[in-house]
Amino acid sequence: GNSVTQMEGPVTLSEEAFLTINCTYTATGYPSLFWYVQYPGEGLQLLLKATKADDKGSNKGFEATYRKETTSFHLEKGSVQVSDSAVYFCALSDPREYGGATNKLIFGTGTLLAVQP
Amino acid sequence: KAGVTQTPRYLIKTRGQQVTLSCSPISGHRSVSWYQQTPGQGLQFLFEYFSETQRNKGNFPGRFSGRQFSNSRSEMNVSTLELGDSALYLCASSRAGQGANIQYFGAGTRLSVL
């Protein structure tokens, strides 16, 4: 079945450091891929998405490229800020597995990012 | 435009009781999904509703049920609560019927079972 694997946390960085959070997936079809972020006490917010191979999603300085050959969707940011401290979730949606009619998301375990000033 | 609203934000129940959680999607959104978030199991899909019909269901026991009303608002019910049902329950809504649409999440209902 479909699944998502992301690197264990926590990831602790100093402000302005480079960030990479690894995410790989297993899917029988051609999923869409997402990164969501969860701040303390809140629900999930979509950070970026990519719907087909070689697409690059980007938002607020974060980027991720859909790599079909390595089944990966790694999250990167060139210079993190304290305000980026949160839990980051990689997720996939494969509606074709269900005849094209579902928005079901399969999530990775989440990676806690802590940015120190 | 108002976001996804979940009520209540916090609930404390005892084992054996039942509970109903409510979710109001973003105006115009017809798809509503529910997820359970726990430290041990992470985020797990419960079920999805579209136009008052359940069209997908996760691997949860029958004690977990849901429904969607004609105005797209949704409720989920958990009967005969167990300690392991303590979790953050998240609702998400999306616009259209086709898959892989962006889902917008509410802040969640935190359920504690004593």
Side-chain angles (χ1 to χ4, degrees):
Chain A
N2 296 339
S3 66
V4 175
T5 302
Q6 63 181 104
M7 62 189 287
E8 293 282 334
V11 173
T12 304
L13 297 173
S14 298
E15 208 165 21
E16 299 185 3
F18 184 85
L19 167 71
T20 299
I21 300 178
N22 290 338
C23 171
T24 57
Y25 68 90
T26 300
T28 53
Y30 302 92
S32 294
L33 301 173
F34 305 82
W35 276 100
Y36 279 85
V37 58
Q38 186 176 35
Y39 297 99
E42 299 183 12
L44 279 69
Q45 300 175 26
L46 178 69
L47 185 57
L48 52 84
K49 72 174 212 177
T51 56
K52 61 183 187 297
D54 299 325
D55 268 2
K56 177 186 280 189
S58 61
N59 185 26
K60 299 180 183 178
F62 291 90
E63 293 183 341
T65 301
Y66 190 140
R67 301 283 188 203
K68 190 170 183 297
E69 63 276 12
T70 54
T71 61
S72 65
F73 192 55
H74 304 321
L75 182 68
E76 296 182 335
K77 187 176 185 184
S79 176
V80 294
Q81 305 300 312
V82 172
S83 57
D84 294 327
S85 298
V87 180
Y88 292 81
F89 292 93
C90 184
L92 72 80
S93 177
D94 189 4
R96 275 163 282 203
E97 184 178 358
Y98 305 97
T102 185
N103 288 305
K104 173 186 175 180
L105 287 168
I106 296 172
F107 287 93
T109 52
T111 302
L112 173 62
L113 169 66
V115 181
Q116 299 175 337
Chain B
K1 200 174 192 180
V4 177
T5 304
Q6 292 187 246
T7 57
R9 288 295 310 276
Y10 303 93
L11 265 178
I12 299 175
K13 293 286 187 178
T14 56
R15 277 182 302 172
Q17 287 187 310
Q18 75 162 18
V19 67
T20 299
L21 313 182
S22 179
C23 172
S24 294
I26 292 171
S27 177
H29 286 194
R30 295 167 62 194
S31 169
V32 173
S33 298
W34 289 88
Y35 296 84
Q36 181 195 64
Q37 185 177 23
T38 60
Q41 299 298 316
L43 278 155
Q44 294 187 287
F45 172 78
L46 279 156
F47 27 64
E48 178 187 9
Y49 288 87
F50 178 75
S51 293
E52 301 179 65
T53 301
Q54 185 183 92
R55 67 178 183 182
N56 205 348
K57 190 178 190 304
N59 293 325
F60 280 83
R63 300 184 297 107
F64 291 81
S65 62
R67 60 178 176 169
Q68 186 180 34
F69 302 96
S70 58
N71 61 358
S72 294
R73 190 177 70 85
S74 178
E75 289 181 348
M76 67 164 282
N77 184 275
V78 188
S79 63
T80 320
L81 284 166
E82 300 177 0
L83 295 178
D85 297 334
S86 295
L88 180 66
Y89 290 88
L90 293 167
C91 167
S93 75
S94 55
R95 185 181 303 276
Q98 292 300 313
N101 286 288
I102 294 172
Q103 292 199 51
Y104 297 85
F105 283 80
T109 294
R110 184 163 296 281
L111 172 63
S112 298
V113 182
L114 307 179

